[in-house]
């Protein structure tokens, strides 16, 4: 069911315990769109907007709405029963790296006040000349000191700066889709792999289209997933050395110690959001599993572009128990749905946002 249209470049979503829906809006006007259904017909009939433009993620925690911008994390007190915040915004973290490259930030929360912030890389593969033909990689890649990983801050302390955080995990080119599960004790991410193996390094069209994998990973403190030195090959089912660092598409070398994914998706699908499903509405097949929103590729040419969907991954014991399946795709065509956000409502419905479509849908079992 379509619940909102003409909502701008809507990105990630969150839903309150009473069913109020909050959406991050990345461009044009306010950064947060709030929606409420007052008559029980399933479609929001009350709208409100607030906050600065440029939001990518929104998360509710302990009466506050947290908003992730490219260089700041803000929060707003949402009084019980109200749709809009009261009082002024509070700056939780400022000075996040975000003036170049992968600027958007995402948030997740741990069980003891941990706030995880994704920080994407500034470049494609840390080349001396970014995205240029056969330019070698910088070694060491100094970007890793401030980019390409997940940082941990306190969710309850305002006025933090980037240098107050701790680098929690590294070697993640753009871990834009992050979430926690089981009371916040488990952190997961879906990582965007690097581009241009074909354009810059002469890989075949088939290898370029399907590599590297988009990685679904379980993230623990101190993990290193290998970027920019390594990527996960869908062809050889292992981490291999990047060509910028002497790789040929199958050589492992220094990548033997890089952490492998739980699940590898086709290349360039661009995962933007994760949502575990701990509700009952969809039935036992879905309970405990994970939804992943893919924005779709731009760089699989000359092969067809792909992705553009929401998939479902069954889970058991903290790991995928089976391969993924497509859950939602657009009727208009295979490249039409630009999925960007997911959230599970208190009734077990699944909300899906799509930024280029400027729409939000609600999926219910009939």
């Amino acid at each position: 069911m379509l619940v909102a249209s003409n909502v701008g470049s809507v990105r990630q979503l969150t839903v309150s315990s009473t069913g109020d829906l909050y959406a991050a809006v990345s461009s044009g006007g306010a950064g947060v769109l709030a929606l409420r259904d007052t008559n029980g017909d399933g479609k929001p009939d009350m709208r409100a907007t607030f906050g600065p433009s440029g939001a990518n993620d929104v998360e509710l925690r302990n009466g506050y709405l947290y908003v992730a911008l490219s260089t700041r994390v803000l929060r707003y007190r949402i009084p019980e029963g109200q749709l809009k915040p009261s009082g002024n915004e509070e700056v939780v973290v400022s000075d996040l790296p975000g003036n170049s490259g992968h600027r958007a930030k995402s948030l997740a929360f741990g069980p003891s006040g941990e706030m995880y912030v994704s920080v994407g890389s500034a470049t494609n593969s840390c080349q001396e000349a970014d995205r240029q033909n056969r330019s070698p990689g910088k070694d060491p890649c100094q970007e890793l000191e401030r980019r390409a990983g997940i940082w941990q801050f306190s969710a309850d302390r305002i006025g933090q700066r980037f240098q107050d955080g701790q680098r929690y995990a590294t070697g993640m080119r753009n871990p834009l889709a992050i979430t926690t599960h089981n009371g916040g004790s488990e952190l997961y991410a879906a990582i965007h792999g690097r581009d241009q193996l074909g354009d810059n390094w002469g890989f075949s069209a088939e290898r370029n289209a399907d590599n590297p994998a988009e990685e679904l990973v379980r993230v623990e403190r101190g993990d290193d997933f290998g970027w920019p030195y390594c990527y996960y090959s869908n062809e050889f089912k292992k981490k291999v050395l990047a060509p910028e660092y002497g790789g040929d598409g199958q050589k492992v070398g220094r990548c033997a110690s890089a952490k492998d994914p739980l699940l590898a998706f086709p290349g360039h699908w661009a995962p933007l959001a994760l949502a575990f499903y701990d509700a009952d509405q969809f039935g036992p097949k879905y309970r405990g599993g994970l939804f992943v929103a893919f924005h779709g590729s731009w760089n699989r040419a000359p092969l067809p572009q792909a992705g553009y969907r929401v998939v479902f991954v069954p889970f058991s014991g903290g790991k995928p128990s089976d391969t993924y399946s497509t859950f939602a795709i657009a009727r208009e065509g295979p490249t039409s749905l630009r999925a960007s956000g997911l959230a599970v409502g208190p009734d077990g419905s699944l909300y899906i946002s799509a930024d280029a479509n400027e729409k939000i849908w609600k999926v219910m079992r009939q």
Side-chain angles (χ1 to χ4, degrees):
M1 176 173 66
L2 181 66
V3 297
S5 58
N6 300 316
V7 291
S9 186
V10 60
R11 300 286 279 188
Q12 299 192 38
L13 306 169
T14 191
V15 187
S16 74
S17 60
T18 58
D20 290 338
L21 178 65
Y22 294 89
V25 182
S26 65
S27 62
V32 179
L33 169 68
L35 301 169
R36 175 178 286 177
D37 174 15
T38 64
N39 59 16
D41 67 354
K43 294 186 177 182
D45 49 84
M46 179 185 292
R47 290 191 182 192
T49 57
F50 56 91
S53 180
N56 180 71
D57 197 7
V58 284
E59 297 288 342
L60 286 162
R61 178 184 179 274
N62 292 350
Y64 285 95
L65 181 75
Y66 289 74
V67 181
L69 306 170
S70 60
T71 60
R72 295 178 293 163
V73 177
L74 310 178
R75 73 176 186 180
Y76 299 84
R77 169 68 74 179
I78 307 291
E80 186 174 353
Q82 292 191 24
L83 185 61
K84 291 186 68 173
S86 64
N88 297 323
E89 67 189 31
E90 296 179 332
V91 180
V92 184
V93 182
S94 61
D95 296 331
L96 294 169
N99 294 320
S100 61
H102 300 107
R103 298 176 175 86
K105 305 295 187 294
S106 296
L107 305 173
F109 295 93
S112 302
E114 303 94 340
M115 182 176 72
Y116 303 106
V117 181
S118 69
V119 183
S121 67
T123 63
N124 176 41
S125 54
C126 207
Q127 291 173 283
E128 291 181 1
D130 187 34
R131 297 182 183 270
Q132 298 305 303
N133 186 42
R134 299 192 180 274
S135 176
K138 298 176 183 178
D139 197 358
C141 178
Q142 294 183 342
E143 274 187 57
L144 294 170
E145 297 173 6
R146 292 174 52 85
R147 307 286 294 256
I150 294 175
W151 266 256
Q152 179 184 319
F153 300 89
S154 169
D156 301 312
R157 179 180 156 206
I158 61 173
Q160 297 169 92
R161 302 175 73 87
F162 177 68
Q163 56 264 34
D164 297 321
Q166 299 176 348
R167 189 176 66 179
Y168 188 79
T170 192
M172 310 168 79
R173 178 175 174 271
N174 192 18
L176 197 54
I178 63 173
T179 192
T180 52
H181 194 219
N182 287 332
S185 63
E186 301 172 359
L187 176 63
Y188 295 86
I191 308 171
H192 293 219
R194 53 83 50 80
D195 303 322
Q196 297 174 299
L197 288 170
D199 290 347
N200 290 346
W201 295 98
F203 283 46
S204 69
E206 291 76 17
R207 275 192 172 182
N208 176 75
D210 203 34
N211 289 287
E214 309 286 54
E215 300 180 47
L216 175 65
V217 298
R218 169 82 181 271
V219 186
E220 298 173 293
R221 184 180 297 277
D223 280 346
D224 185 346
F225 294 92
W227 184 91
Y229 313 113
C230 316
Y231 66 85
Y232 190 85
S233 168
N234 272 323
E235 182 179 5
F236 295 103
K237 313 300 182 189
K238 62 184 179 181
K239 287 281 171 80
V240 299
L241 195 63
E244 289 83 357
Y245 299 91
D248 59 2
Q250 58 182 316
K251 185 187 300 182
V252 174
R254 68 204 283 183
C255 302
S257 61
K259 188 171 180 178
D260 282 337
L262 296 174
L263 187 63
F265 295 102
H268 315 298
W269 277 22
L272 291 191
L274 303 174
F276 276 98
Y277 191 79
D278 293 323
D280 295 317
Q281 186 189 134
F282 291 176
K285 171 184 174 181
Y286 290 95
R287 186 166 179 82
L290 178 69
F291 289 101
V292 187
F294 288 99
H295 199 239
S297 67
W298 62 268
N299 54 353
R300 292 171 64 97
L303 273 65
Q305 301 301 335
Y308 310 91
R309 67 192 63 205
V310 175
V311 309
F312 176 73
V313 183
F315 255 69
S316 178
K319 296 181 180 179
S321 59
D322 201 352
T323 189
Y324 62 89
S325 59
T326 295
F327 180 80
I329 199 165
R331 291 191 182 97
E332 293 79 5
T335 63
S336 297
L337 176 63
R338 306 307 302 275
S340 55
L342 299 167
V344 179
D347 64 349
S349 298
L350 179 71
Y351 291 90
I352 301 171
S353 61
D355 56 1
N357 305 81
E358 299 190 358
K359 294 177 180 179
I360 302 172
W361 294 268
K362 182 180 183 180
V363 181
M364 299 170 291
R365 184 176 185 178
Q366 302 237 334

